[in-house]
Amino acid sequence: MSDSNSGFSEAGLRRLRDVLARHVESKRIPGLVALVSRGGRTHVEAIGTMRHDGGAPMRRDTIFRMASASKPVTTAAAMVLLDECRLRLDEPVDPWLPELAGRQVLRRPDGPLEETVPARRPITVRDLLTSTFGLGVDFALLDSPIRAATFERLDYSVASGPAPDPDEWMRRLGELPLSYQPGERWQYDLSNEVLGVLVARVTGRPLETFLRERVLDPLGMRDTAFHVPADKIDRLPPLYGPDPRTGEFLVWDEAEGGRASRPPAFQGAGGGLVSTVDDYHAYFRMLLDQGVHGSERILSRPAVELMTTNRLTPEQRSARTAMYRSIAHLAVGQAQQGGWGFGMAVRTHRGDHAPIGQFGWDGGTGTTAYADPENRLTGILLTQVGMSTPDSARLVHDFWTTLYQAIDD
């Protein structure tokens, strides 16, 4: 796959393959698919097998559960609505999401659920896009009453079972006070789920229908969806969550008959997509090209700039950095970028091999997808090992470290 002026050195790509293969040979990662792209060149590695005990090999078109790496893609649906003035950044969401009207806010984020004060202002579209609407995963509040209540009502992870329909999910959300005043603090995850419901209600159609029409189909992302249909299920590996103590491969979700094999009642914008390396490459290349794919414009240039540049205040950014720094050893340094745009992380300081301006996000199922405007580079790495142990996080770390060494100008 060599060509001149590709921007990758042959030695660097060989080293990348060797590092990825080493993780598979360790028996801790059954298989992976990686795509790296720079300039006009794309290089793909498919290593290992779909199952931990062998069987079918990984292929370029293997479909993976993207988990939180869904966020950068699903956010594009809201950006289309902003471009069309069907949503406005600083308007309250109350007309579409009445469950969030008239919020109460905890007196103390770690305090009792009954001790509240009225919200100083309504929740806006901007609050949802920046993950600052007042509720979400907060690693500083893991033992708090609001964390327990949120998890009990709204979680639909592998251990908790599937989510109810969007209206019932929003009703449960509406019973909770906010941890913080709207717009005050960055908190993870829940904002994206609410944003997906907002898109569906504004358009009067399921989130996936609108996303497919305006983003996925125009980009040729045929394998990206909220479930894997029966005629493609052989391309989906099981999802493993290794036992944190023994490393034994436990199946979190089987392929056939598993949760990803049927349409969900709740299309989770925060983590519900399945996809392939080539589909994600098309999406991130569109972002690098300022919203254009071929001769077609998917998003306006300003919409892409809003998504892919930092939108947090210095105070919000320092709180986010401190929150992740306290768990950096568990995630092998992931989420240490500093900034956050709309639906994705944005690197605002240089703390490792990647430069300022790199944008994208990771998923707890062992997925990572980022683009780097400075180097015109895209990297996507997908595996089937959830982050119950540090193994997939180590793989992701080593992928990025080695990829940046492969740049050759």
Side-chain angles (χ1 to χ4, degrees):
M1 294 183 69
S2 66
D3 55 349
S4 58
N5 304 316
S6 68
F8 291 123
S9 72
E10 292 302 327
L13 290 177
R14 279 197 301 275
R15 192 184 307 121
L16 177 65
R17 179 182 172 80
D18 289 347
V19 166
L20 297 178
R22 199 164 69 225
H23 281 271
V24 174
E25 287 156 9
S26 76
K27 305 293 188 201
R28 293 190 173 95
I29 303 290
L32 59 87
V33 183
L35 181 150
V36 299
S37 170
R38 187 164 185 243
R41 181 174 192 190
T42 301
H43 181 88
V44 176
E45 297 284 0
I47 305 174
T49 54
M50 302 269 277
R51 304 190 70 90
H52 81 88
D53 48 2
M58 282 290 182
R59 304 186 334 199
R60 181 169 180 160
D61 67 351
T62 297
I63 297 171
F64 293 87
R65 301 161 188 81
M66 298 304 295
S68 286
S70 304
K71 291 172 170 64
V73 173
T74 57
T75 300
M79 303 312 292
V80 169
L81 296 177
L82 286 175
D83 276 345
E84 295 181 346
C85 302
R86 296 164 75 183
L87 283 176
R88 299 176 188 89
L89 279 173
D90 294 306
E91 274 196 339
V93 297
D94 300 2
W96 301 285
L97 304 173
E99 299 92 341
L100 295 184
R103 292 292 75 205
Q104 291 291 117
V105 183
L106 293 176
R107 284 185 183 276
R108 291 195 346 261
D110 59 349
L113 299 184
E114 307 75 45
E115 294 184 10
T116 62
V117 297
R120 290 194 284 266
R121 64 163 176 80
I123 294 166
T124 65
V125 176
R126 188 188 300 271
D127 296 330
L128 294 180
L129 281 162
T130 54
S131 289
T132 60
F133 88 104
L135 265 182
V137 179
D138 193 324
F139 299 112
L141 296 176
L142 289 183
D143 297 325
S144 64
I146 189 61
R147 168 62 179 157
T150 304
F151 190 81
E152 178 192 338
R153 285 170 174 77
L154 304 174
D155 183 69
Y156 61 97
S157 62
V158 175
S160 306
D165 66 78
D167 292 348
E168 170 60 16
W169 191 87
M170 286 299 304
R171 186 193 68 74
R172 296 180 190 180
L173 177 63
E175 293 176 343
L176 297 170
L178 303 179
S179 307
Y180 291 92
Q181 290 286 342
E184 184 180 352
R185 183 180 171 95
W186 185 91
Q187 292 176 289
Y188 185 52
D189 199 43
L190 269 186
S191 285
N192 298 88
E193 307 292 19
V194 179
L195 192 66
V197 179
L198 176 66
V199 168
R201 289 186 178 177
V202 170
T203 61
R205 288 186 284 166
L207 168 63
E208 183 171 7
T209 304
F210 185 71
L211 185 68
R212 181 160 305 290
E213 179 187 304
R214 301 304 301 272
V215 180
L216 303 181
D217 282 353
L219 288 171
M221 296 172 70
R222 287 182 292 277
D223 293 322
T224 303
F226 285 100
H227 83 289
V228 181
D231 62 348
K232 297 181 181 180
I233 201 73
D234 62 316
R235 292 162 54 195
L236 178 75
L239 172 62
Y240 296 110
D243 185 301
R245 295 178 305 282
T246 66
E248 177 193 356
F249 281 104
L250 307 175
V251 176
W252 272 355
D253 190 40
E254 196 47 84
E256 207 149 337
R259 284 174 58 175
S261 71
R262 51 190 178 268
F266 185 86
Q267 295 175 351
L273 290 180
V274 297
S275 194
T276 63
V277 289
D278 282 295
D279 277 14
Y280 258 60
H281 181 214
Y283 182 77
F284 276 84
R285 192 171 50 196
M286 178 271 291
L287 294 182
L288 282 179
D289 290 337
Q290 301 291 333
V292 173
H293 173 72
S295 59
E296 188 170 358
R297 179 163 286 287
I298 311 296
L299 295 172
S300 71
R301 180 188 289 255
V304 173
E305 288 169 350
L306 281 167
M307 293 174 78
T308 61
T309 55
N310 176 56
R311 305 264 63 83
L312 302 184
T313 65
E315 295 77 21
Q316 290 167 342
R317 211 165 74 206
S318 62
R320 178 180 182 271
T321 299
M323 193 195 305
Y324 274 107
R325 197 164 281 153
S326 68
I327 60 159
H329 61 293
L330 299 175
V332 198
Q334 286 173 320
Q336 295 292 295
Q337 304 90 347
W340 190 261
F342 289 168
M344 66 189 91
V346 180
R347 200 170 289 274
T348 54
H349 65 268
R350 182 133 200 184
D352 56 24
H353 284 60
I356 290 170
Q358 184 205 44
F359 56 80
W361 197 228
D362 308 287
T365 48
T367 59
T368 185
Y370 287 80
D372 166 2
E374 180 183 318
N375 291 295
R376 298 286 301 167
L377 178 146
T378 304
I380 299 148
L381 170 69
L382 309 178
T383 185
Q384 77 278 57
V385 181
M387 292 191 182
S388 53
T389 65
D391 294 313
S392 54
R394 287 180 180 135
L395 166 65
V396 168
H397 174 275
D398 294 354
F399 167 70
W400 288 110
T401 300
T402 316
L403 173 55
Y404 273 100
Q405 293 176 56
I407 293 175
D408 184 26
D409 289 324

Short mmCIF file of all heavy atoms in Angstrom, two decimals, residues 106-139:
data_model
loop_
_atom_site.label_atom_id
_atom_site.label_comp_id
_atom_site.label_asym_id
_atom_site.label_seq_id
_atom_site.Cartn_x
_atom_site.Cartn_y
_atom_site.Cartn_z
N LEU A 106 -30.08 21.26 43.37
CA LEU A 106 -29.59 20.92 44.71
C LEU A 106 -28.86 22.10 45.34
O LEU A 106 -28.09 22.79 44.66
CB LEU A 106 -28.65 19.72 44.63
CG LEU A 106 -29.28 18.38 44.22
CD1 LEU A 106 -28.19 17.32 44.09
CD2 LEU A 106 -30.33 17.94 45.23
N ARG A 107 -29.08 22.30 46.63
CA ARG A 107 -28.31 23.34 47.34
C ARG A 107 -26.83 22.99 47.32
O ARG A 107 -25.98 23.87 47.17
CB ARG A 107 -28.78 23.44 48.80
CG ARG A 107 -30.11 24.15 48.99
CD ARG A 107 -30.41 24.31 50.46
NE ARG A 107 -31.71 24.92 50.64
CZ ARG A 107 -31.92 26.25 50.62
NH1 ARG A 107 -30.89 27.07 50.41
NH2 ARG A 107 -33.12 26.75 50.79
N ARG A 108 -26.53 21.71 47.50
CA ARG A 108 -25.15 21.21 47.41
C ARG A 108 -25.15 20.03 46.46
O ARG A 108 -26.01 19.15 46.57
CB ARG A 108 -24.64 20.73 48.78
CG ARG A 108 -24.41 21.81 49.80
CD ARG A 108 -23.56 21.29 50.99
NE ARG A 108 -23.42 19.84 51.04
CZ ARG A 108 -24.16 19.04 51.85
NH1 ARG A 108 -25.09 19.55 52.63
NH2 ARG A 108 -23.94 17.73 51.86
N PRO A 109 -24.21 19.96 45.52
CA PRO A 109 -24.22 18.86 44.55
C PRO A 109 -24.18 17.48 45.19
O PRO A 109 -24.70 16.52 44.63
CB PRO A 109 -22.97 19.10 43.72
CG PRO A 109 -22.50 20.46 44.04
CD PRO A 109 -23.13 20.91 45.30
N ASP A 110 -23.59 17.38 46.40
CA ASP A 110 -23.52 16.08 47.07
C ASP A 110 -24.54 15.97 48.19
O ASP A 110 -24.49 15.05 49.00
CB ASP A 110 -22.11 15.86 47.63
CG ASP A 110 -21.71 16.95 48.63
OD1 ASP A 110 -22.42 17.98 48.73
OD2 ASP A 110 -20.68 16.77 49.31
N GLY A 111 -25.51 16.90 48.22
CA GLY A 111 -26.47 16.96 49.32
C GLY A 111 -27.72 16.13 49.09
O GLY A 111 -27.89 15.49 48.05
N PRO A 112 -28.65 16.14 50.07
CA PRO A 112 -29.90 15.39 49.96
C PRO A 112 -30.76 15.90 48.81
O PRO A 112 -30.75 17.09 48.49
CB PRO A 112 -30.60 15.65 51.31
CG PRO A 112 -29.58 16.27 52.20
CD PRO A 112 -28.54 16.89 51.34
N LEU A 113 -31.51 14.99 48.20
CA LEU A 113 -32.33 15.34 47.03
C LEU A 113 -33.46 16.32 47.39
O LEU A 113 -33.98 16.99 46.50
CB LEU A 113 -32.93 14.07 46.41
CG LEU A 113 -31.94 13.03 45.90
CD1 LEU A 113 -32.67 11.88 45.23
CD2 LEU A 113 -30.94 13.65 44.93
N GLU A 114 -33.83 16.38 48.67
CA GLU A 114 -34.95 17.25 49.06
C GLU A 114 -34.51 18.71 49.23
O GLU A 114 -35.35 19.61 49.24
CB GLU A 114 -35.56 16.78 50.39
CG GLU A 114 -35.98 15.32 50.43
CD GLU A 114 -34.80 14.36 50.57
OE1 GLU A 114 -33.89 14.62 51.39
OE2 GLU A 114 -34.77 13.37 49.80
N GLU A 115 -33.23 18.94 49.39
CA GLU A 115 -32.75 20.31 49.67
C GLU A 115 -32.39 21.00 48.36
O GLU A 115 -31.30 20.82 47.82
CB GLU A 115 -31.55 20.27 50.61
CG GLU A 115 -31.91 19.75 52.00
CD GLU A 115 -30.74 19.81 52.96
OE1 GLU A 115 -29.70 20.43 52.61
OE2 GLU A 115 -30.86 19.23 54.05
N THR A 116 -33.33 21.78 47.83
CA THR A 116 -33.15 22.40 46.52
C THR A 116 -33.51 23.87 46.52
O THR A 116 -34.17 24.37 47.44
CB THR A 116 -34.03 21.69 45.46
OG1 THR A 116 -35.41 21.86 45.83
CG2 THR A 116 -33.71 20.22 45.36
N VAL A 117 -33.07 24.54 45.48
CA VAL A 117 -33.46 25.93 45.20
C VAL A 117 -33.93 25.98 43.74
O VAL A 117 -33.59 25.10 42.96
CB VAL A 117 -32.28 26.90 45.41
CG1 VAL A 117 -31.82 26.90 46.86
CG2 VAL A 117 -31.12 26.55 44.48
N PRO A 118 -34.71 26.99 43.36
CA PRO A 118 -35.14 27.06 41.96
C PRO A 118 -33.96 27.34 41.03
O PRO A 118 -33.00 28.03 41.40
CB PRO A 118 -36.13 28.25 41.95
CG PRO A 118 -36.51 28.46 43.38
CD PRO A 118 -35.32 28.04 44.19
N ALA A 119 -34.03 26.80 39.82
CA ALA A 119 -33.03 27.13 38.81
C ALA A 119 -33.10 28.62 38.50
O ALA A 119 -34.18 29.21 38.47
CB ALA A 119 -33.27 26.31 37.54
N ARG A 120 -31.92 29.21 38.26
CA ARG A 120 -31.88 30.66 38.00
C ARG A 120 -32.38 30.99 36.60
O ARG A 120 -32.77 32.12 36.34
CB ARG A 120 -30.45 31.18 38.19
CG ARG A 120 -30.02 31.17 39.64
CD ARG A 120 -28.76 32.01 39.85
NE ARG A 120 -27.56 31.32 39.38
CZ ARG A 120 -26.77 30.59 40.17
NH1 ARG A 120 -27.09 30.39 41.44
NH2 ARG A 120 -25.68 30.01 39.67
N ARG A 121 -32.34 30.02 35.70
CA ARG A 121 -32.83 30.25 34.34
C ARG A 121 -33.19 28.91 33.71
O ARG A 121 -32.81 27.85 34.21
CB ARG A 121 -31.78 30.98 33.49
CG ARG A 121 -30.49 30.20 33.26
CD ARG A 121 -29.71 30.79 32.11
NE ARG A 121 -28.42 30.18 31.87
CZ ARG A 121 -28.21 29.04 31.21
NH1 ARG A 121 -29.23 28.32 30.78
NH2 ARG A 121 -26.98 28.58 31.02
N PRO A 122 -33.92 28.92 32.59
CA PRO A 122 -34.25 27.65 31.92
C PRO A 122 -33.01 27.00 31.31
O PRO A 122 -31.98 27.65 31.09
CB PRO A 122 -35.24 28.07 30.82
CG PRO A 122 -35.63 29.47 31.12
CD PRO A 122 -34.52 30.08 31.90
N ILE A 123 -33.14 25.71 31.02
CA ILE A 123 -32.12 24.97 30.26
C ILE A 123 -32.25 25.35 28.79
O ILE A 123 -33.35 25.39 28.25
CB ILE A 123 -32.31 23.46 30.45
CG1 ILE A 123 -32.04 23.08 31.91
CG2 ILE A 123 -31.41 22.66 29.50
CD1 ILE A 123 -32.52 21.69 32.28
N THR A 124 -31.11 25.64 28.15
CA THR A 124 -31.12 26.03 26.74
C THR A 124 -30.52 24.94 25.85
O THR A 124 -29.90 23.98 26.34
CB THR A 124 -30.30 27.32 26.53
OG1 THR A 124 -28.92 27.04 26.83
CG2 THR A 124 -30.81 28.46 27.40
N VAL A 125 -30.68 25.12 24.56
CA VAL A 125 -30.08 24.20 23.58
C VAL A 125 -28.57 24.17 23.76
O VAL A 125 -27.93 23.11 23.71
CB VAL A 125 -30.45 24.62 22.15
CG1 VAL A 125 -29.75 23.74 21.11
CG2 VAL A 125 -31.97 24.58 21.95
N ARG A 126 -27.97 25.32 24.00
CA ARG A 126 -26.51 25.38 24.19
C ARG A 126 -26.07 24.54 25.39
O ARG A 126 -25.03 23.87 25.34
CB ARG A 126 -26.07 26.84 24.38
CG ARG A 126 -24.55 27.01 24.41
CD ARG A 126 -24.15 28.44 24.79
NE ARG A 126 -24.66 29.43 23.87
CZ ARG A 126 -24.01 29.85 22.77
NH1 ARG A 126 -22.83 29.32 22.47
NH2 ARG A 126 -24.53 30.76 21.99
N ASP A 127 -26.86 24.57 26.46
CA ASP A 127 -26.52 23.77 27.64
C ASP A 127 -26.44 22.28 27.31
O ASP A 127 -25.56 21.57 27.79
CB ASP A 127 -27.55 23.97 28.76
CG ASP A 127 -27.60 25.40 29.27
OD1 ASP A 127 -26.56 26.09 29.24
OD2 ASP A 127 -28.69 25.83 29.70
N LEU A 128 -27.37 21.81 26.48
CA LEU A 128 -27.34 20.39 26.08
C LEU A 128 -26.15 20.10 25.18
O LEU A 128 -25.48 19.07 25.33
CB LEU A 128 -28.64 20.02 25.36
CG LEU A 128 -29.92 20.04 26.20
CD1 LEU A 128 -31.11 19.65 25.34
CD2 LEU A 128 -29.81 19.12 27.42
N LEU A 129 -25.87 21.00 24.25
CA LEU A 129 -24.77 20.77 23.31
C LEU A 129 -23.41 20.78 23.99
O LEU A 129 -22.48 20.09 23.55
CB LEU A 129 -24.81 21.81 22.19
CG LEU A 129 -25.86 21.54 21.10
CD1 LEU A 129 -26.15 22.80 20.30
CD2 LEU A 129 -25.39 20.42 20.17
N THR A 130 -23.28 21.55 25.05
CA THR A 130 -21.98 21.64 25.74
C THR A 130 -21.90 20.73 26.97
O THR A 130 -20.91 20.76 27.70
CB THR A 130 -21.71 23.08 26.20
OG1 THR A 130 -22.81 23.55 26.98
CG2 THR A 130 -21.50 24.01 25.02
N SER A 131 -22.92 19.92 27.21
CA SER A 131 -22.95 19.03 28.39
C SER A 131 -22.91 19.82 29.70
O SER A 131 -22.25 19.42 30.65
CB SER A 131 -21.80 18.01 28.35
OG SER A 131 -22.04 17.06 27.35
N THR A 132 -23.62 20.93 29.74
CA THR A 132 -23.63 21.76 30.95
C THR A 132 -25.06 22.05 31.42
O THR A 132 -25.32 23.07 32.05
CB THR A 132 -22.91 23.11 30.71
OG1 THR A 132 -23.58 23.82 29.66
CG2 THR A 132 -21.45 22.91 30.33
N PHE A 133 -26.01 21.14 31.15
CA PHE A 133 -27.40 21.46 31.52
C PHE A 133 -27.69 21.23 32.99
O PHE A 133 -28.72 21.64 33.49
CB PHE A 133 -28.39 20.72 30.61
CG PHE A 133 -28.78 19.33 31.07
CD1 PHE A 133 -30.02 19.09 31.65
CD2 PHE A 133 -27.93 18.25 30.88
CE1 PHE A 133 -30.40 17.80 32.04
CE2 PHE A 133 -28.30 16.97 31.25
CZ PHE A 133 -29.54 16.75 31.84
N GLY A 134 -26.77 20.59 33.72
CA GLY A 134 -26.93 20.50 35.16
C GLY A 134 -26.97 19.10 35.72
O GLY A 134 -26.97 18.91 36.94
N LEU A 135 -26.99 18.08 34.84
CA LEU A 135 -26.98 16.69 35.29
C LEU A 135 -26.06 15.88 34.40
O LEU A 135 -25.89 16.20 33.22
CB LEU A 135 -28.38 16.07 35.22
CG LEU A 135 -29.25 16.06 36.47
CD1 LEU A 135 -30.57 15.37 36.17
CD2 LEU A 135 -28.56 15.41 37.66
N GLY A 136 -25.49 14.80 34.96
CA GLY A 136 -24.63 13.93 34.17
C GLY A 136 -23.68 13.18 35.08
O GLY A 136 -23.70 13.33 36.30
N VAL A 137 -22.86 12.36 34.46
CA VAL A 137 -21.84 11.63 35.22
C VAL A 137 -20.78 12.62 35.68
O VAL A 137 -20.25 13.39 34.88
CB VAL A 137 -21.21 10.52 34.37
CG1 VAL A 137 -20.13 9.78 35.16
CG2 VAL A 137 -22.28 9.55 33.88
N ASP A 138 -20.50 12.59 36.97
CA ASP A 138 -19.52 13.51 37.55
C ASP A 138 -18.64 12.67 38.47
O ASP A 138 -19.10 12.18 39.50
CB ASP A 138 -20.23 14.61 38.32
CG ASP A 138 -19.33 15.77 38.69
OD1 ASP A 138 -18.14 15.53 38.99
OD2 ASP A 138 -19.80 16.91 38.67
N PHE A 139 -17.38 12.51 38.08
CA PHE A 139 -16.50 11.61 38.84
C PHE A 139 -16.18 12.16 40.23
O PHE A 139 -15.65 11.44 41.07
CB PHE A 139 -15.23 11.32 38.04
CG PHE A 139 -15.51 10.66 36.73
CD1 PHE A 139 -15.28 11.31 35.54
CD2 PHE A 139 -16.06 9.38 36.69
CE1 PHE A 139 -15.57 10.71 34.32
CE2 PHE A 139 -16.36 8.78 35.49
CZ PHE A 139 -16.11 9.44 34.30
#
